Amino acid sequence: LKAPDGQAFDSVKEFHRWGCLRLLERAGRITDLKRQVSFELIPKQQGERACTYVADFTYYENGQYVVEDCKGFKTDVYRIKKKLMLWVHGIRIRIT
C-alpha cells in the first residue's frame, strides 16, 4: 500500500495506525515518531547474516520508549524475535 506521500506500508492497518500516531505527535502526546526502525538481535558471525527485527513504529510516550508493531497474524518467527527483543534490548514490543 502506498500513501499519497509515497511511503510504502505493509497493510491498511499499518497505514491507518501511522496516521493516528502522526496526529498524536502533532498533539504533543508522543514524540520522536519513526517508522521501520531496525534492531540487531544476533550479530553477523561465521558467514551468517545478522538477525534483525524491524519495528513498524518507535516513539516516546510519557518519557517511555515504545516499540510498536501492527500485527494481524503472529508468525513463529515473530514470536521468537519478540522474545529476543526483550532478552537482548530489554524492550517489550507493543502490539496493535
Side-chain angles (χ1 to χ4, degrees):
L1 175 66
K2 284 243 185 203
D5 65 1
Q7 291 189 75
F9 293 86
D10 291 337
S11 68
V12 172
K13 183 178 180 178
E14 184 181 331
F15 171 73
H16 286 297
R17 183 62 180 154
W18 173 248
C20 290
L21 290 171
R22 295 275 315 244
L23 288 173
L24 289 171
E25 185 177 43
R26 284 189 208 123
R29 304 255 325 265
I30 66 172
T31 59
D32 199 26
L33 176 62
K34 295 179 183 167
R35 288 191 63 232
Q36 303 298 301
V37 178
S38 183
F39 294 86
E40 186 175 78
L41 300 174
I42 303 171
K44 179 180 174 180
Q45 54 190 331
Q46 299 177 4
E48 296 290 330
R49 287 185 275 168
C51 176
T52 60
Y53 164 72
V54 179
D56 289 335
F57 313 110
T58 64
Y59 53 89
Y60 287 88
E61 181 178 49
N62 300 319
Q64 295 284 83
Y65 187 58
V66 176
V67 174
E68 184 176 308
D69 209 348
C70 288
K71 282 287 177 221
F73 178 75
K74 296 175 189 169
T75 64
D76 290 340
V77 170
Y78 172 76
R79 291 173 202 267
I80 291 168
K81 287 185 176 188
K82 181 180 176 190
K83 291 176 184 183
L84 282 168
M85 278 292 286
L86 185 57
W87 177 261
V88 173
H89 296 285
I91 296 172
R92 193 173 299 276
I93 299 169
R94 180 183 291 180
I95 309 297
T96 57

